[in-house]
Amino acid sequence: MSKRPLLLMLLACGAAAAPMALAAAPAAAQQAAAPAAADFGPVLVSPADWQAMAQAGDRYPMFAAEVARVEAEVRAGMAAGVNVPQPVDPGGGASHEQHKANYKLIAGAGALYRITGDGAYADFARDILLAYADLYPTLGLHPVERSSVRGKLFWQALNDSVWLVYGSQGYDAIRDTLSPADRQRIDDDVFRRMANFLSSDNAEYFDRIHNHATWATAGVGQTGYVLRDPELVRRALDGTGRSRGDAGFLRQVDLLFSPDGYYAEGPYYQRYALAPFIIFARAIQQNEPDRGIFQRRDGVLLKAVDSLLQATYDGLIVPINDAMPDKSIRSEEIVTGVAIAYSQTQDPGLLTIAREQGRTLLSPDGLAIARGVAEGQAQPFDFRSMQLRDGPNGDLGNLVFFRANGPDGQALVMKNTQQGQGHGHFDRLNWLFYDNGNPVVTDYGAARFLNIEAKEGGRYLPENDSWAMQTVAHNTLVVNGQSHFGADWRVGEEHGTTPLLFELDEAHGVQIASGRTADAYPGVVLTRTLAMVSHPDLNFPIAIDLMRADGSSPALYDLPLHFNGHIITQGFEARRALAERPVLGDRAGYEHLWVDAQSEAAEGSRSLTWLLDGRFYTYRFTASAPTRALLVESGANDPNFNLRREQALIRRMDGQADASFVAVLEPHGAYDGTAETVSGSTSRIRDIDRARGDGAELIVITLASGKTLALGIADDPGAATQRHRIQSGGQTYEWTGPWARFDRETR
């Protein structure tokens, strides 16, 4: 999957342009007719909307700044001259980057022509497109054979689709300025050829239910509107003739999003796929408003914008599945989505997001954003605790968010989703934790240096398969040293994850969720319950974790915790690897882990405390049987230095069929290196313990004050009427239902 660079989005906000009459005549008859001059005018943005942008002037600073930014970029391109090279390079190479720059320039020049009236911009876009009209008919498939579906301009057809999405927008803005001969050449030798290559010539690719096909359908469909070609539009909406109704853009909207707007491949690829979905939906609304595209499936495309923003912390996208850790709300796709969503909903919270993004777009939607910000209409965006159901019917799992103390406070993410297609990782029931503006319990994301040619041409690295996707690279249970589903994503794709519980109990200070998979390993059922719990004696909410394995035979269980920070105290005895660094294993990601310390198997609770950005974190853990504790770091067997060096604690239990792993993560204290002050570096939790009852577990947390906080969790949280009774520390705990909280002065 290749990265798409920062681009301009030129879609319409209003419906002033005349909608395209798709059924008025067969495509061939329409192409044969000699259209009136007005038929060459813009259809993706109405003339009235272009005029409104032209008249905006400097009244709205964000819009004026965007005009200046794009003007500088296009003027630099004009000074350099038209450059349309022969395609030779993979991602990151010179020809690859130039073709990317060109569709930015076409889009930017088209917008600037409409906003400023300066014909030099239209002429520049025309000259680039005429150069493509010379080149494109001569091209075969791209010479770099690294993709199963090669493009012509780029090494993969995906990038050709992106070129078509943005190139068609720029062309729409200048098409009525061209001579008939130039217009015909560009129509036929660039846009129609490219649209047919991506659809008819690659029908299997075009008809996939996948983000690559979304880009292709968006590019072909927009081209159809611009060229007034109903057949291209129909093909984009419904798929090629061989799969009518089972493919195409509309089918992708129906199958790739859950009812809550969660995208099948996860938030990172939701960011990438959001652009073609939203951009083409805008074009559909502009030309065929009766379709009600933004109302389809109860407004799922607008929900997709909200759900993606919810899946961020401190502006960065939660890095689950194949994800780069530096992708943020400033990504062009999210700028686009926020602008269009605001034009549809007028949600003032989106203005705050746009203000944090620091830019807008040269589009009617971007103008609306700039106006709203300038007029002081912004309100805080509603980051909230919630679950996002997964699967087209919402029955394949969920992604859970617990939040406390504002946008940069505590956030717990529980990943109970489906596989996520080929970009999914083998990490069912994984979790992450954020606090104080930082990732604390972390996820590696993808092993990739995007578009850096020296690193596998910018593609996914071999270590993405051998490390980043493997279960041990995540915060979930590994059985017998093997990854979930045998590390076969196609097997994982056949099985969802079962959410068992999701409750937000503000009165009792508990946010709790539970999920289960019975398919990750033969004969083993994994159930995990995570809770964020507040207590008056604790400065911040704590995370409580119960991971259970119910197996048919004794097994080796490893439960990693990947954490971010500098170790302060190690609350267990362990042998240090001082003279050499042994490697933990030879497969399933274990070959990439150095072992720095390991303890003997022990019972009772132990702890690990680390410091991150002025705050301390203590992780206390215990289990149903003796466990070893291993401190490890990624980077072994990595001759090309492709992996980041990141640390983890692995809790290992061997020889048990059933296992319960309990842990509590506590943020506490403060360290100020400038003032040389330290406070609260000692945990306010004295100890944790667990007890087993009939069909339930009890986690007892003893605070430094002497008070106790206990959380009872049923094995089957879905059994709302089941009664539970557990004895612990001379006290009896009784409750009915999936969970209960017990606060007591003394134990």
Side-chain angles (χ1 to χ4, degrees):
M1 184 72 190
S2 175
K3 176 188 174 185
R4 188 184 63 71
L6 293 180
L7 295 164
L8 292 170
M9 194 290 297
L10 308 175
L11 292 175
C13 178
M20 179 179 177
L22 291 180
Q30 287 197 355
Q31 292 172 28
D39 290 343
F40 302 124
V43 295
L44 301 181
V45 176
S46 73
D49 283 328
W50 281 124
Q51 185 177 10
M53 286 184 276
Q55 294 173 346
D58 295 330
R59 283 183 293 164
Y60 309 118
M62 286 183 71
F63 195 79
E66 185 66 8
V67 170
R69 185 190 71 81
V70 175
E71 204 159 27
E73 186 176 86
V74 173
R75 283 290 177 183
M78 294 169 71
V82 173
N83 182 6
V84 178
Q86 186 75 21
V88 293
D89 300 305
S95 63
H96 179 97
E97 292 302 310
Q98 186 59 50
H99 289 300
K100 290 193 327 188
N102 283 345
Y103 61 74
K104 289 179 64 177
L105 291 172
I106 294 166
L112 290 172
Y113 163 68
R114 286 290 166 183
I115 291 171
T116 68
D118 188 343
Y121 293 122
D123 292 345
F124 181 54
R126 176 202 62 201
D127 292 346
I128 298 175
L129 289 168
L130 286 173
Y132 276 104
D134 289 337
L135 174 69
Y136 196 81
T138 71
L139 298 178
L141 294 179
H142 196 281
V144 175
E145 299 182 16
R146 292 186 177 180
S147 173
S148 59
V149 184
R150 283 184 284 166
K152 290 191 173 186
L153 295 176
F154 300 93
W155 68 278
Q156 59 176 351
L158 168 66
N159 300 84
D160 288 55
S161 301
V162 177
W163 193 104
L164 190 59
V165 168
Y166 293 98
S168 63
Q169 292 176 345
Y171 186 43
D172 182 58
I174 69 159
R175 190 167 179 258
D176 62 352
T177 71
L178 302 179
S179 70
D182 286 347
R183 184 164 49 243
Q184 195 69 47
R185 284 188 63 208
I186 295 169
D187 281 2
D188 294 344
D189 287 339
V190 181
F191 289 98
R192 201 176 304 282
R193 281 181 183 269
M194 192 177 292
N196 286 328
F197 167 72
L198 291 169
S199 56
S200 298
D201 296 354
N202 286 283
E204 184 176 356
Y205 163 82
F206 189 78
D207 288 339
R208 293 175 67 191
I209 305 299
H210 189 269
N211 77 74
H212 287 216
T214 307
W215 279 103
T217 57
V220 170
Q222 281 196 171
T223 297
Y225 286 131
V226 173
L227 301 187
R228 281 65 166 177
D229 186 336
E231 169 54 27
L232 288 180
V233 176
R234 184 216 58 76
R235 196 182 303 167
L237 293 175
D238 299 327
T240 64
R242 72 178 185 87
S243 58
R244 187 76 60 86
D246 294 326
F249 181 80
L250 297 178
R251 193 65 173 153
Q252 291 173 30
V253 173
D254 293 343
L255 294 182
L256 286 175
F257 292 100
S258 80
D260 297 329
Y262 179 80
Y263 181 69
E265 294 179 279
Y268 178 83
Y269 275 98
Q270 182 161 340
R271 177 270 322 167
Y272 186 77
L274 185 68
F277 274 112
I278 291 290
I279 288 172
F280 188 36
R282 251 317 186 184
I284 294 168
Q285 176 175 283
Q286 182 72 19
N287 288 274
E288 300 184 79
D290 290 346
R291 283 189 180 272
I293 187 63
F294 283 114
Q295 287 73 50
R296 192 178 182 91
R297 294 187 64 206
D298 193 30
V300 72
L301 291 178
L302 297 174
K303 290 181 180 179
V305 177
D306 179 74
S307 68
L308 178 54
L309 293 173
Q310 296 294 343
T312 64
Y313 181 87
D314 194 37
L316 295 174
I317 299 171
V318 173
I320 61 174
N321 293 346
D322 278 347
M324 307 303 295
D326 55 355
K327 283 295 184 184
S328 76
I329 61 172
R330 293 175 177 83
S331 297
E332 180 82 8
E333 302 90 344
I334 303 182
V335 173
T336 298
V338 167
I340 294 177
Y342 177 74
S343 74
Q344 295 293 312
T345 66
Q346 302 299 302
D347 178 358
L350 294 174
L351 295 176
T352 295
I353 299 294
R355 193 167 56 194
E356 293 174 4
Q357 290 168 332
R359 57 160 297 199
T360 187
L361 303 166
L362 298 189
S363 73
D365 313 274
L367 180 61
I369 285 279
R371 181 187 298 114
V373 170
E375 293 176 353
Q377 298 175 19
Q379 294 181 13
F381 183 78
D382 182 23
F383 288 104
R384 57 194 183 275
S385 297
M386 66 186 306
Q387 63 171 333
L388 295 172
R389 293 171 293 169
D390 194 4
N393 298 316
D395 56 359
L396 296 180
N398 64 359
L399 186 67
V400 172
F401 298 93
F402 295 147
R403 296 183 185 269
N405 298 318
D408 62 349
Q410 296 73 46
L412 187 156
V413 182
M414 186 178 188
K415 185 184 180 229
N416 304 328
T417 60
Q418 60 178 317
Q419 182 66 28
Q421 301 182 354
H423 289 297
H425 287 186
F426 306 104
D427 62 344
R428 304 296 172 92
L429 310 182
N430 183 19
W431 73 296
L432 302 87
F433 188 80
Y434 296 84
D435 179 47
N436 196 31
N438 297 297
V440 178
V441 175
T442 63
D443 192 283
Y444 192 91
R448 184 183 190 184
F449 290 83
L450 201 60
N451 281 343
I452 297 179
E453 190 172 3
K455 289 292 190 180
E456 294 287 319
R459 304 172 69 221
Y460 288 105
L461 298 163
E463 290 79 9
N464 199 59
D465 293 329
S466 62
W467 165 250
M469 280 189 168
Q470 302 292 332
T471 302
V472 75
H474 303 282
N475 307 302
T476 191
L477 198 65
V478 187
V479 180
N480 292 326
Q482 294 289 331
S483 287
H484 295 178
F485 306 104
D488 187 334
W489 73 264
R490 291 175 178 83
V491 175
E493 193 72 8
E494 296 173 0
H495 304 284
T497 306
T498 304
L500 302 174
L501 172 68
F502 174 81
E503 286 190 28
L504 306 175
D505 190 332
E506 185 176 350
H508 293 93
V510 175
Q511 304 178 63
I512 188 167
S514 185
R516 175 173 294 158
T517 177
D519 306 301
Y521 298 102
V524 183
V525 177
L526 303 181
T527 306
R528 190 169 213 164
T529 302
L530 283 156
M532 184 184 286
V533 179
S534 300
H535 191 282
D537 287 5
L538 300 172
N539 285 339
F540 308 104
I542 57 175
I544 300 176
D545 177 25
L546 169 62
M547 169 66 86
R548 285 187 46 79
D550 296 292
S552 57
S553 60
L556 173 68
Y557 293 120
D558 286 334
L559 184 57
L561 181 86
H562 297 265
F563 63 94
N564 182 23
H566 195 101
I567 293 175
I568 300 299
T569 58
Q570 178 187 311
F572 53 90
E573 293 296 324
R575 301 186 308 276
R576 272 72 165 179
L578 300 178
E580 61 182 16
R581 298 181 93 185
V583 178
L584 187 55
D586 60 5
R587 59 182 179 178
Y590 284 75
E591 71 271 29
H592 292 300
L593 288 172
W594 283 307
V595 180
D596 289 326
Q598 54 184 314
S599 75
E600 299 298 329
E603 296 182 325
S605 68
R606 286 167 287 175
S607 66
L608 185 72
T609 298
W610 63 89
L611 174 66
L612 175 63
D613 193 20
R615 187 163 292 172
F616 297 91
Y617 299 89
T618 295
Y619 182 73
R620 295 185 182 275
F621 53 96
T622 187
S624 57
T627 59
R628 298 168 63 191
L630 297 84
L631 289 172
V632 300
E633 185 179 62
S634 59
N637 289 303
D638 180 23
N640 295 318
F641 305 99
N642 286 336
L643 292 176
R644 301 191 302 271
R645 305 302 190 247
E646 297 187 354
Q647 60 196 339
L649 168 71
I650 295 179
R651 301 152 64 192
R652 170 168 284 185
M653 183 188 299
D654 199 1
Q656 304 293 318
D658 299 332
S660 293
F661 293 86
V662 170
V664 175
L665 177 64
E666 175 200 4
H668 59 92
Y671 169 69
D672 187 332
T674 300
E676 300 182 359
T677 59
V678 180
S679 63
S681 61
T682 302
S683 168
R684 295 193 176 193
I685 296 176
R686 184 187 302 164
D687 198 10
I688 67 170
D689 198 5
R690 63 167 291 277
R692 181 77 187 150
D694 185 17
E697 299 257 356
L698 183 75
I699 301 167
V700 181
I701 302 168
T702 303
L703 306 181
S705 63
K707 298 177 182 178
T708 63
L709 161 63
L711 190 66
I713 301 171
D715 292 350
D716 184 4
T721 60
Q722 185 175 352
R723 292 185 58 81
H724 305 282
R725 187 173 188 272
I726 296 179
Q727 295 278 347
S728 177
Q731 299 197 42
T732 300
Y733 298 82
E734 295 183 282
W735 78 94
T736 299
W739 67 275
R741 172 177 175 164
F742 305 90
D743 285 18
R744 296 181 177 174
E745 288 297 317
T746 57
R747 188 168 179 187

